[in-house]
Amino acid sequence: MDSVAVGLVAGYAADRMLGDPRRFHPVAGLGRILGSLERELYRDTRSAGVAYAAVAVGGMGLASALVTRRLRSIEPVLVATATWAVLGGTTLAGVGEQMADNLDAGDIDAARALIPSLCGRDPRSLDADGMCRAAVESIAENTSDATVAPVVWGAVAGVPGLVAYRTVNTLDAMVGYRSARYLNFGWASARFDDLANVVPARLSGLLVVVLGPDPASSWAAWHRDAGKHPSPNAGVVEASFAGALGIGLGGRTVYAHGEEMRPQLGSGPAPGSQDLRAAVRLSRRVQTGTVVVAVGYRLLRAVFSRRSAG
């Protein structure tokens, strides 16, 4: 069987069984490297931000390609390790369930303490309803960002695809804000992240439609509402989730750098804790579906490669 396919399945299984490591997470180490690079290259210009993103993504991608080439004999192990390191779907789902438990128990402080693990919103601005909405929106968006996209890029390019994508996504999380410091410097990182997620977000939307409880409403919400969202990719996934679950998302959204008014996605009521649990279940189905699609792609690629060689 294709070595990348084997590694993707093994890495996904590791994420489902183990989740993210509590200490010494590889992505946290990546963040420290990128932070050091930012301190060296930061200038309040777009050109400096382009250079920063290019050096970071190019450097990490090249380094991982060289390691893979040198250790080709154990490529499945390398792919599995990298896949487990960059995926975040199991931890995402676990935090969502814990949030629902806290909200059901009326423990608002415990629920609020989980917000930084899900998104960059100001926890102090959120009541119970706001936290539930924030959690559902974060689970929808990060189902694509934290699982679908890395698996897609891993299927396309193996370990370098996994590492390069996670670098792009981490850059966006670190500097891709419309704050005074990053409006110019973070512009390139945000645009790279948009480009890297074009295909994964739409695959996520399709899987939500196919695997969700209401395909017709999910499809309708996607095509009616996704374009209203400021993100060309998050809107696709959030709208398809909203339609599938029969809820409405969007509204006043407060970040550390300012306040935004997000458009209405879906035509149902605001989500409650049961909808949050349903979003977690749907996220898990989409994650598994993505791995199935990725393995199918790798097998078809191997078949066409053999035919071309013959």
Side-chain angles (χ1 to χ4, degrees):
M1 188 175 178
D2 178 84
S3 61
V4 171
V6 171
L8 289 172
V9 171
Y12 177 64
D15 181 63
R16 288 298 294 263
M17 290 186 292
L18 303 173
D20 291 340
R22 294 184 180 276
R23 300 180 63 188
F24 308 115
H25 196 299
V27 176
L30 172 62
R32 286 191 289 272
I33 293 171
L34 298 178
S36 297
L37 184 62
E38 178 192 344
R39 288 190 288 275
E40 294 295 326
L41 298 182
Y42 179 83
R43 303 288 185 279
D44 188 20
T45 64
R46 284 190 176 185
S47 59
V50 170
Y52 171 60
V55 169
V57 177
M60 295 304 299
L62 178 60
S64 59
L66 291 174
V67 170
T68 302
R69 183 175 179 180
R70 187 175 183 84
L71 301 175
R72 180 68 67 183
S73 62
I74 60 167
E75 185 177 29
V77 176
L78 296 178
V79 174
T81 303
T83 301
W84 172 67
V86 304
L87 292 185
T90 295
T91 297
L92 174 71
V95 174
E97 288 183 329
Q98 189 177 355
M99 172 76 76
D101 289 342
N102 291 338
L103 291 173
D104 284 342
D107 193 342
I108 301 301
D109 289 338
R112 187 171 285 122
L114 294 173
I115 289 296
S117 300
L118 289 170
C119 59
R121 301 181 195 186
D122 182 358
R124 297 167 297 179
S125 71
L126 300 172
D127 58 12
D129 291 341
M131 284 187 280
C132 197
R133 189 200 113 204
V136 172
E137 290 175 351
S138 179
I139 286 169
E141 180 178 3
N142 285 298
T143 294
S144 180
D145 288 357
T147 299
V148 177
V151 169
V152 165
W153 284 107
V156 170
V159 173
L162 289 160
V163 173
Y165 172 76
R166 182 49 65 199
T167 303
V168 169
N169 192 244
T170 303
L171 286 172
D172 182 58
M174 293 176 63
V175 305
Y177 294 107
R178 298 175 182 175
S179 63
R181 176 176 173 83
Y182 293 126
L183 185 62
N184 291 314
F185 185 76
W187 176 85
S189 294
R191 297 294 78 75
F192 283 178
D193 187 71
D194 287 342
L195 288 172
N197 281 289
V198 167
V199 172
R202 281 140 190 88
L203 175 60
S204 299
L206 286 173
L207 289 171
V208 170
V209 170
V210 172
L211 302 174
D214 192 340
S217 294
S218 182
W219 180 263
W222 172 0
H223 288 274
R224 182 187 65 238
D225 299 334
K228 304 173 187 175
H229 198 284
S231 166
N233 299 316
V236 171
V237 193
E238 291 182 24
S240 60
F241 260 77
L245 301 176
I247 59 175
L249 299 175
R252 178 174 176 266
T253 305
V254 181
Y255 296 97
H257 60 274
E259 179 179 321
E260 298 179 16
M261 195 66 187
R262 292 293 175 84
Q264 175 80 11
L265 305 177
S267 56
S273 61
Q274 290 306 111
D275 300 306
L276 176 52
R277 295 184 193 280
V280 168
R281 292 193 296 270
L282 180 54
S283 173
R284 286 182 170 136
R285 289 198 294 273
V286 170
Q287 293 174 43
T288 301
T290 303
V291 176
V292 172
V293 170
V295 170
Y297 165 78
R298 291 298 304 188
L299 295 179
L300 287 173
R301 177 169 157 168
V303 168
F304 284 119
S305 178
R306 286 195 295 269
R307 287 182 178 178
S308 297

